[in-house]
Amino acid sequence: MSSFRGLAIYAHPPNSNSSPFHLPADKIPVQTLKKADFLCKIDKLLAVDPGTVKGPEILADLPVWDSLAAIGFVALLDDELGITLPSGKMEQCKTVADLVALAGNQVQP
Amino acid sequence: MNAVISAVEYHLPQTIQTNEELAAQFPHWQVQQIAEKTGIHARHIAAENELASDLAVVAARKLFDSGAAAPADIDFILLCTQSPDYLLPTTACLLQSRLGIATSAGALDFNLGCSGYVYGLSLAKGLIETGQIRNLLLVTAETYSKHIHPEDRTVRLLFGDGAAATLIQARQSPDVGIGPFVFGTDGAGAPNLIVRKGALRHIDSPDQPLDLYMNGPEIFAFTLNTIPKTVHRLIAAAGKSLAEIDLFIFHQANAYMLEHLRNRLEIPAEKFFVELSDIGNTVSASIPIAIKQAQRFGRLRSGQLAMLVGFGVGYSWSATLVRFP
């Protein structure tokens, strides 16, 4: 389970036929991704070549990072990992690594 | 005695602004790519001197012209808008005079955005089912274009102007009606969708950014956090299952957000109404416009049960079930 559970990030089973509202929290299956795969998904979101983003990049310096990309990232977390961000979390992200950190231990080395 | 939605009409301003026009103004912007995501290709924009009240008058006159009711029948006007003519007087009072509704009618404005239609239905139900009135005109009218900075291309792409008029009447028809309702409010989200100009908080702060500001990622996250739970709260309150709903009509925010919500709730596409390609997000008018379109396209028929869900600025949200006569 995401290390952010304590911060009330809400997890639901992505692409599952079961409604999360009918499952106790400890029964919700958790989706995980390898960090390299997750970074590739961010590459795809930003429409750049796979392997482009590594982590230290500053979001404000990326010409392709805008509010629509940020919305796409919120959707990516929701679709791929079942993580719905609580208010204010996106605002705190300054780098790609900060985005990855939002996934907690659902993104693994 | 039940409160029943008897008729819905809407009006959009004449001027249509296409994505091609926006692309010409912002040549380095990938308008088409964004349009494919949002599902919005054009929107109607009110003329310089055309206000929400003007759109409201035309929508209400269409409703009267349809024969659903006459101005003399109306004993209460509810107007939902965030672009009123004045801070005071109340725009609903101006509507009473312009529409020739009796001076014995009540009238009030309420200030809500995308959740406003569902809140209006709740107020209407309360007034009718407590026996205070019999025929209520609910008008949701908005001209967000007047709040948007001309250089704010993303927000310009999303929002359109429009007004809807809904007739809600007392009927002895236990098989049709409105409700139950669930509500929600989180004022901590206020800074994420806000117009600072025009009221008193920043009256002496000319350096403040005063036009409409929208934090899209935060609004999107709020919606994903809130709306699926709200839908299930309503289903539980009604003692029904999602499968019993004939058509889901959510606030027509944008196609990208709606598709995510539909997927999260596992609602079949044929039961989920999305139609905003040439209209855009018309705020509190979006749900009644969608109702009218769904009826026109044969997607919503007499006796069917629809779920209406409004959500947005505030944050404010609400959901209800409506069985149409």
Side-chain angles (χ1 to χ4, degrees), chain A residues 6 8-9 29 32 35 54 69 76 84 86 89:
Chain A
I9 283 184
T32 59
K35 184 177 177 183
K54 308 287 186 192
L76 172 66
T84 306
K89 287 290 167 192

Side-chain angles (χ1 to χ4, degrees), chain B residues 71-77 92-93 96 100-108 133 135:
Chain B
D73 298 328
I74 302 299
D75 40 28
F76 211 101
I77 307 164
C93 296
Q96 175 273 328
I101 289 171
T103 55
S104 56
L108 63 86
I133 58 164
N135 300 300

Side-chain angles (χ1 to χ4, degrees), chain B residues 78-101:
Chain B
L78 280 177
L79 172 66
C80 177
T81 189
Q82 295 187 314
S83 36
D85 287 29
Y86 308 104
L87 276 179
L88 61 113
T90 307
T91 308
C93 296
L94 307 179
L95 285 186
Q96 175 273 328
S97 176
R98 291 179 66 182
L99 291 169
I101 289 171

